[in-house]
Amino acid sequence: MSYSVGQVAGFAGVTVRTLHHYDGIGLLAPSERSHAGHRRYSDADLDRLQQILFYRELGFPLDEVAVLLDDPDADPRAHLRRQHELLTARIEKLQKMAAAVEHAMEARKMGINLTPEERFEVFGDKDPEQYAEEAEQRWGGTEEYAESQRRAARYTKDDWKRMQAEVASWGERFDALMATGEPPTGEAAMDLAEEHRQHICRWFYECSYELHQCLGGMYVSDERFKAYYDSMRPGLAEHLREAITANAARHAV
């Protein structure tokens, strides 16, 4: 089975002119010619073209590609392994670059005064505005949402670091509290629920006890919030919701 230059160009997504060039420099000479002298490519030629295009995509110059492919001691499988490793590394790099661009776009959209590098440093692989569009749709008309946006726009890198440190400390203490078997209605659990409410008030908006109870329900009903809190300790989302309810009752709400 052999293929015309036009067919091969279509298979590979390159131009006929490119294939003529590869033939001219000895990089990819077709194995056959038709009676009329037209190029005909075999399956082996297609395999070599694939190798060429892999290396070209990785940035190798054509003369270096020729040396690699014409090495008599080279194992074709070794070429594939090497290309797989190089392509995997490139994919990972491009994914990180894409994530950085997304972070930068969200930071600009939300008015957060952080560079993409700072956002990675502060939040790691978690994007604090991952659900920004959904949040705007659900709560965009509320005073709390507007106040949260105003405050967030003023926060610096150090502000976000302090906020994250508070969350980490609270999570560790809630984990330890649950490890002791403290019930959600216990004083220590209610105190941590109140600290959670005060954290929201301090950093985002005035969170009433009624609103805090609504949030507590969402922490359990919305799988994303539940996963976030349960990542601190399995069952923490449900425990927190009950502690929030008990804390509100404690304050006669």
Side-chain angles (χ1 to χ4, degrees), residues 3-215:
Y3 309 91
S4 69
V5 67
Q7 288 177 307
V8 174
F11 296 153
V14 298
T15 66
V16 170
R17 183 176 180 179
T18 294
L19 294 175
H20 287 175
H21 176 60
Y22 289 172
D23 185 9
I25 63 175
L27 182 61
L28 178 64
S31 299
E32 303 173 21
R33 294 274 179 172
S34 69
H35 293 301
H38 298 146
R39 296 170 175 85
R40 301 293 299 181
Y41 292 83
S42 66
D43 287 332
D45 296 332
L46 295 185
D47 286 341
R48 183 177 175 91
L49 176 58
Q50 183 185 54
Q51 299 294 320
I52 292 168
L53 296 180
F54 279 153
Y55 278 123
R56 287 294 289 149
E57 184 65 25
L58 290 165
F60 284 73
L62 291 179
D63 56 351
E64 189 172 342
V65 173
V67 172
L68 289 169
L69 296 182
D70 292 335
D71 181 356
D73 297 324
D75 181 352
R77 291 172 297 182
H79 280 301
L80 289 172
R81 284 194 296 270
R82 180 186 186 191
Q83 289 165 345
H84 183 268
E85 292 170 358
L86 293 170
L87 286 168
T88 299
R90 182 173 180 180
I91 288 169
E92 291 176 354
K93 181 178 180 180
L94 289 173
Q95 287 175 334
K96 290 179 180 179
M97 290 174 63
V101 171
E102 289 174 4
H103 277 248
M105 290 168 62
E106 286 297 335
R108 184 176 295 275
K109 175 183 175 182
M110 303 304 296
I112 296 175
N113 188 30
L114 295 180
T115 66
E117 292 80 8
E118 288 172 334
R119 293 193 66 170
F120 274 121
E121 180 182 349
V122 174
F123 295 108
D125 59 357
K126 295 183 175 65
D127 183 356
E129 306 301 340
Q130 183 177 1
Y131 305 110
E133 184 175 349
E134 178 184 343
E136 185 173 1
Q137 291 174 351
R138 293 176 67 175
W139 302 296
T142 66
E143 293 182 6
E144 290 81 5
Y145 180 84
E147 177 62 21
S148 176
Q149 296 300 96
R150 284 193 293 270
R151 295 192 194 182
R154 298 193 299 266
Y155 290 155
T156 65
K157 172 182 173 180
D158 289 339
D159 291 328
W160 288 104
K161 280 188 171 182
R162 284 196 296 274
M163 183 194 308
Q164 291 298 98
E166 285 186 13
V167 171
S169 172
W170 177 88
E172 290 172 0
R173 286 180 285 121
F174 211 118
D175 178 19
L177 174 142
M178 290 181 65
T180 66
E182 174 77 11
T185 54
E187 288 293 323
M190 289 189 289
D191 287 346
L192 282 176
E194 176 63 17
E195 184 178 330
H196 182 277
R197 189 185 73 86
Q198 290 292 342
H199 175 86
I200 297 172
C201 293
R202 182 164 54 255
W203 289 102
F204 297 106
Y205 53 82
E206 188 61 32
C207 182
S208 66
Y209 290 102
E210 293 90 344
L211 179 54
H212 200 211
Q213 290 182 85
C214 291
L215 293 176

